[in-house]
Every structure is written in C-alpha cells, then in structure tokens.
Amino acid sequence: MAIWKECLATYGGPYLFGKQPCIADAMYAPVVTRFLTYDVALDKVCAAYCKRIMELPAMQEWVKEAKKEPDDIDELDAEF
C-alpha cells in the first residue's frame, strides 16, 4: 500500500503512474483482487485505487471469464 500511495501522490493518479493505466497497474491487478477477496483493511486512497482497477473493462472481462472456470480441475486430482 505504501508503494501505491507514493506513486499516486507522485504522479497525480488516478493510476499509479498518471492518467492512464500502465503495466504497473496490470501487475498489481491480482493483488487488488486478493485484497478484496480477503477483505484487507485499506485506507481511503488504496480503497479508491482498488475500485478504479476493478472498474476497468479488462478487469470486468477477466472476472467474467474467471467465473466460467470449473471449480474442480481433474489434472489437479492426481495421486502421488
């Protein structure tokens, strides 16, 4: 969260390095989903950043497609 707050303050947001999402935002997208899944307590700045990331069309598509994945994967049921 310290990295997010520093980047948002330095580059003026709303994304880590300015007005457009970049590869850094894409790199942190899975972190955003984990923070939300595990209900990590976030300050207002970081909560707003997470909301912005989750509102991106690419994230909406990713979540939509992920929900189509099966709950069980046969290949992972191998016995050792």
Side-chain angles (χ1 to χ4, degrees):
M1 290 186 289
I3 292 170
W4 291 0
K5 291 194 305 191
E6 182 179 339
C7 287
L8 291 166
T10 300
Y11 298 99
Y15 299 100
L16 294 179
F17 289 96
K19 297 193 183 306
Q20 298 295 321
C22 67
I23 194 69
D25 299 294
M27 182 187 80
Y28 279 112
V31 175
V32 167
T33 66
R34 296 311 186 283
F35 281 176
L36 297 173
T37 298
Y38 294 110
D39 199 26
V40 174
L42 300 170
D43 61 27
K44 288 182 182 182
V45 171
C46 292
Y49 174 70
C50 287
K51 184 175 186 296
R52 270 191 302 280
I53 294 301
M54 293 305 294
E55 289 174 347
L56 289 169
M59 285 298 291
Q60 295 291 313
E61 182 68 18
W62 186 30
V63 170
K64 178 181 150 194
E65 292 301 315
K67 288 179 179 180
K68 293 179 184 177
E69 291 288 324
D71 289 335
D72 296 319
I73 301 173
D74 292 336
E75 290 83 9
L76 298 178
D77 288 335
E79 292 189 33
F80 294 96

